[in-house]
Amino acid sequence: MIALTLAEIAAAVGGELRVAGEDTTETVVDGIVDTDSRTMTPGSVFVAKPGAETDGHRFVGAAVAAGAAVAIVEHTVDVPVSQVVVPDAVVALGALAREVVARVRAEGRLRIVGITGSNGKTTTKNFLARILEDEGETVAPVKSFNNEVGAPVTMLRVTKSTRFLVSEFGAAAPGSIAHLAGLVEPDLAVVLMVGMAHAGGFGGIEATAKAKSELVSAARVPGTAVLNIDDPRVAAMKDLALSRGLDVIGFGQSDAADVRAVDIEVSASGTSCVIEVGGERLPLRLRVLGAHHITNALAAIASALVLGIAPADAVARLETVEIAERWRMQPLGSDRVRIINDAYNASPDSMAAALRTLAQITGPDERTVAVLGAMSELGESAGEEHDRIGLLAVRLNIQRIVVVGPEARRLYLAAVGEGSWDSEAVHLPDQDAAYEYLRTELRDGDRVLVKSSNSVGLRHLGDRLGELFS
């Protein structure tokens, strides 16, 4: 965080400052800001966030022992450290992020990119950060820090030398993106796609589209909306963007795209295509598996173009990226038995894309094995969407379908009903049972996809299988 006095921190969050020890209102703090006491270093700001399972106020002492210089709290604690008392610690965290980013932006160098979409946010964020880091200091979220805590914590990492802030915005509920994006008013609003992910919490896909459009509404004017022209619900946001005075740049495979991909090919070693932009044709070979990641690459290239980076430079930097992120189409195992661990998250769209990738990268003498768990947060659509994935797996001729957990049973039943018989599809109660089954079932030449929502935890099964067959 940039240097601020205790008085400035208190003013930014609207809190009551209570100094301790040798501190004064003018004591300067410039360390990291976090809700995790384990990350504290000398001069840090600890935000005591109450939680469902524990309360951050219990860890103020540990934070101070690790070096925290001040704690933002909802009530004073009996620990010798200066404290800023606020009604809501999470709201205060966001307010502090707003103040810090505004001060850095006032210096005139900082450009801010906001990214949202039902799928692809983290991969696009990583792609764009890789392109931008060669231009100057770039701050981007660790993992998927895209909620009311993770997004402000990332924003607070900016310094006066930061040139680019890449923020990833998830939507826990209607208004979430409007709030988070409103903290920084991005110069670029990047919308990737509108899918069924989290649709259960929004009341349907149209409500999800409205939530994603909040990013376009929150963008800074003058600014740019970077939109997936292949997704009709995203493309429809062009009217909103133009009505606000934003420029619009479209990406996709459509002829209408300003940054377009053609000649897409998927193999076990990566994904290739030709990028068409501004009259240029640029070959791109990603090491990342899956045709769906071409969309994420297009979004990153289009965003970089708006920020003044030549497409050829953007393409060259993307080709150095080895994996999108841990547990996202992550190759594990060996050439003998290849494990693709894509179990950080799952929606109907990402599940379908991963299954298609598995089918595309498996040779004629190799066997496809899909280890699938439940997709969460689908609401009333959950049964139908699990049915659809079961049918798709069979129609893609996935040769072994291993369904894990009771929540995914409908996926298994749909696969069996579609014709996956004679042990081609099995249903197992949990990860341990699946591991024991796969330990003896997998053989040389197998290509294995592990896919589920994060809450199911199959990513750990993927790691175990990767280690077993390494």
Side-chain angles (χ1 to χ4, degrees):
M1 184 183 74
I2 63 172
L4 295 175
T5 66
L6 291 178
E8 288 173 322
I9 293 173
V13 303
E16 178 185 350
L17 174 62
R18 300 183 183 181
V19 296
E22 299 179 359
D23 287 348
T24 71
T25 58
E26 298 306 305
T27 296
V28 174
V29 177
D30 62 358
I32 66 168
V33 183
D34 207 342
T35 61
D36 188 342
S37 62
R38 296 168 296 183
T39 67
M40 293 292 101
T41 56
S44 297
V45 180
F46 177 64
V47 181
K49 179 182 77 70
E53 298 181 2
T54 189
D55 187 342
H57 293 81
R58 295 175 51 201
F59 300 95
V60 174
V64 172
V70 60
I72 296 176
V73 296
E74 295 182 3
H75 58 78
T76 56
V77 294
D78 187 19
V79 175
V81 66
S82 293
Q83 300 173 40
V84 179
V85 184
V86 297
D88 187 312
V90 173
V91 171
L93 176 66
L96 185 58
R98 184 198 304 273
E99 177 68 15
V100 167
V101 171
R103 290 188 180 215
V104 175
R105 192 178 222 158
E107 300 286 328
R109 284 173 49 86
L110 181 64
R111 302 293 299 280
I112 301 173
V113 181
I115 300 172
T116 195
S118 297
N119 297 298
K121 295 184 293 297
T122 298
T123 300
T124 302
K125 172 261 299 184
N126 288 340
F127 282 170
L128 182 57
R130 173 62 194 94
I131 294 170
L132 297 178
E133 65 186 14
D134 284 1
E135 301 293 319
E137 182 180 309
T138 299
V139 171
V142 176
K143 300 180 181 178
S144 292
F145 278 22
N146 61 23
N147 62 11
E148 61 182 357
V149 173
V153 164
T154 299
M155 297 167 188
L156 285 160
R157 288 169 43 210
V158 301
T159 68
K160 291 191 175 180
S161 59
T162 302
R163 283 197 61 192
F164 304 103
L165 168 63
V166 182
S167 287
E168 177 183 338
F169 299 129
S176 295
I177 294 173
H179 166 67
L180 294 174
L183 298 177
V184 293
E185 296 182 343
D187 299 289
L188 277 70
V190 183
V191 186
L192 300 171
M193 67 171 296
V194 175
M196 289 299 296
H198 313 299
F202 289 94
I205 196 165
E206 296 304 330
T208 302
K210 185 175 181 181
K212 300 305 180 186
S213 73
E214 292 171 8
L215 179 56
V216 177
S217 296
R220 190 180 184 91
V221 180
T224 304
V226 182
L227 304 177
N228 180 0
I229 214 72
D230 292 341
D231 185 319
R233 292 182 177 86
V234 178
M237 297 178 194
K238 179 177 180 179
D239 291 341
L240 171 62
L242 294 175
S243 72
R244 296 198 60 241
L246 298 172
D247 293 330
V248 176
I249 182 169
F251 62 89
Q253 298 177 46
S254 164
D255 290 341
D258 300 293
V259 181
R260 182 179 179 225
V262 297
D263 301 334
I264 298 174
E265 296 183 2
V266 179
S267 72
S269 60
T271 311
S272 64
C273 69
V274 174
I275 303 295
E276 296 183 343
V277 52
E280 290 186 272
R281 285 176 54 86
L282 303 168
L284 167 65
R285 181 163 185 80
L286 289 176
R287 302 188 200 183
V288 181
L289 298 176
H292 52 295
H293 287 308
I294 293 297
T295 298
N296 304 327
L298 289 171
I301 294 167
S303 300
L305 179 63
V306 175
L307 294 169
I309 299 166
D313 292 335
V315 165
R317 295 167 195 176
L318 284 176
E319 290 183 335
T320 69
V321 178
E322 295 186 2
I323 63 170
E325 179 87 16
R326 186 182 181 192
W327 301 318
R328 287 177 170 84
M329 298 302 287
Q330 181 183 6
L332 298 172
S334 63
D335 288 340
R336 184 169 66 88
V337 177
R338 175 63 65 198
I339 310 296
I340 304 169
N341 195 352
D342 193 34
Y344 186 84
N345 222 332
S347 68
D349 295 308
S350 68
M351 187 78 84
L355 285 169
R356 291 190 182 99
T357 298
L358 176 65
Q360 288 170 328
I361 68 172
T362 303
D365 298 325
E366 300 170 340
R367 184 174 66 159
T368 50
V369 180
V371 183
L372 307 175
M375 302 174 286
S376 60
E377 300 182 52
L378 296 177
E380 294 180 356
S381 301
E384 177 184 343
E385 293 299 331
H386 282 88
D387 290 346
R388 188 169 70 85
I389 295 302
L391 297 178
L392 177 64
V394 176
R395 291 168 184 174
L396 289 171
N397 196 31
I398 304 302
Q399 292 154 285
R400 285 289 183 272
I401 302 170
V402 181
V403 181
V404 184
E407 298 86 355
R409 183 170 174 78
R410 278 194 61 165
L411 194 160
Y412 163 73
L413 293 174
V416 171
E418 185 66 9
S420 186
W421 306 322
D422 192 24
S423 300
E424 292 175 355
V426 297
H427 181 243
L428 300 166
D430 53 39
Q431 288 189 52
D432 289 339
Y435 178 80
E436 289 303 317
Y437 171 80
L438 291 164
R439 187 169 61 84
T440 56
E441 169 67 19
L442 295 182
R443 66 194 191 201
D444 287 2
D446 282 351
R447 299 296 176 254
V448 186
L449 170 70
V450 183
K451 182 74 173 169
S452 75
S453 281
N454 190 33
S455 59
V456 179
L458 290 196
R459 63 194 184 281
H460 303 302
L461 173 61
D463 286 343
R464 293 171 69 188
L465 293 172
E467 183 177 352
L468 178 65
F469 291 104
S470 62

